[in-house]
Amino acid sequence: MNVKVCYLLPAFTLAVLLSGCADKPVEQSPDSPLNVQKLDKVTLQATGSENQARALPDSKAQLDLYQAPQTLAGLQFDGEISSARARTLRYRDAEGKEQLSLTLSGLPTGWDTMNPQRAVAGYYSELRQRRVDKALSNSANALSIISERLVDLEGNPSAQSQMRWVEPNRPIQNQALLVTLINDDFIRISSASYRQKTVWLLQQAKRVLAEFKAAQTMPAP
C-alpha cells in the first residue's frame, strides 16, 4: 500500500519531520557523527526548482574546471545544463530507459568555515525537503524513504539515501541520491528507475562518483 509517510532508518535524524513520521533517536556511530538540521531559511536562497537545494552559493564557483566524461558507469553523456551557480551533467543508456544526473555547485556564502560533515548534512536536508514538499503538494503522490546514511566515502563525507516515489498512473519509481563535498564543491548524483532496485541505483551512483573523480585533472582533495 502506498502511503505518504516516509520511513526513516535511524542512521541520522532530521530536524524537519513529516507528519506521520516517528521521531526516532539519533544513532551515535561512525556513520552518523552529527544530526542533520534544517538551516535558517533567511540565509538560504530559493531557486524555484523542485530538485535544486535552496543553499546555493552567492558567487560562482570554479565549476568549469571539472571535466564532463563522455561515459559514466556505462551511461552516455546526454548534455549539460549550466548556470552561474551550478552545472548539471546528464547521462542515459543507449535505449533511453535509464537516466542519471550529476550536479556540481559551490559552497554557499559562510559555509566555508562549516565542518564538512555538517555542510553535507545541511545540503542533503535541503534536497530531501524539496522532495518531501513535492510529495505533500499532491495527495496522490507518495514518497517512501527507505534508508539514509551519513558516511565517509573515500575520505570525503557523503550523504546517501534510497527512496521510492509514487504518482498517479505510473509504476513505482526507485530512486537513489548521493551527496558529497570535494574541493569545497558539492557533487550531487541523482538516479531513478522503474526497473532497477534502490540498492543497485546507489551502487551505480558510487561507481559514477569514482569514475567522475578519476576523470578529473584538477588536484585531488
Side-chain angles (χ1 to χ4, degrees):
M1 179 175 65
N2 296 331
V3 294
K4 188 171 296 284
V5 178
C6 64
Y7 300 94
L8 304 182
L9 294 184
F12 63 85
T13 56
L14 300 172
V16 179
L17 298 175
L18 286 176
S19 59
C21 289
D23 187 2
K24 299 181 180 180
V26 179
E27 178 182 305
Q28 299 297 333
S29 70
D31 283 357
S32 55
L34 52 86
N35 295 337
V36 180
Q37 298 181 358
K38 189 171 180 63
L39 302 181
D40 185 1
K41 284 188 177 182
V42 175
T43 64
L44 302 178
Q45 241 178 357
T47 68
S49 170
E50 64 188 17
N51 293 320
Q52 185 67 57
R54 300 181 181 92
L56 287 177
D58 290 332
S59 59
K60 182 179 180 181
Q62 298 298 311
L63 303 179
D64 55 339
L65 296 178
Y66 290 94
Q67 303 294 318
Q70 289 303 302
T71 60
L72 285 176
L75 302 177
Q76 299 293 320
F77 182 61
D78 191 41
E80 175 179 337
I81 300 175
S82 299
S83 69
R85 296 173 175 174
R87 289 179 63 190
T88 296
L89 311 178
R90 297 186 179 277
Y91 291 84
R92 61 184 296 176
D93 66 356
E95 299 177 352
K97 295 183 178 180
E98 301 292 342
Q99 299 181 9
L100 177 145
S101 67
L102 186 152
T103 300
L104 301 158
S105 61
L107 284 169
T109 300
W111 283 36
D112 55 332
T113 59
M114 188 182 295
N115 180 288
Q117 293 173 324
R118 179 176 172 79
V120 167
Y123 183 67
Y124 169 79
S125 70
E126 287 296 325
L127 294 168
R128 178 191 193 273
Q129 186 62 30
R130 300 293 272 195
R131 299 193 181 202
V132 168
D133 291 344
K134 182 180 179 182
L136 292 176
S137 68
N138 187 330
S139 60
N141 294 339
L143 176 70
S144 295
I145 300 179
I146 302 169
S147 71
E148 297 177 307
R149 300 180 67 201
L150 185 63
V151 302
D152 181 282
L153 183 61
E154 298 180 355
N156 300 107
S158 167
Q160 307 171 14
S161 64
Q162 301 173 55
M163 307 179 186
R164 289 196 182 99
W165 172 258
V166 179
E167 57 184 312
N169 303 317
R170 289 180 179 271
I172 296 175
Q173 184 184 72
N174 291 323
Q175 300 179 350
L177 177 63
L178 188 153
V179 175
T180 191
L181 184 65
I182 298 175
N183 291 324
D184 290 334
D185 295 320
F186 287 117
I187 298 180
R188 167 166 51 104
I189 300 173
S190 303
S191 59
S193 175
Y194 293 114
R195 300 185 300 176
Q196 303 293 351
K197 296 182 179 180
T198 59
V199 173
W200 188 94
L201 292 174
L202 186 56
Q203 291 300 319
Q204 180 195 49
K206 294 177 182 179
R207 178 182 169 187
V208 165
L209 177 62
E211 292 184 7
F212 179 78
K213 290 171 62 177
Q216 305 309 310
T217 57
M218 59 192 309

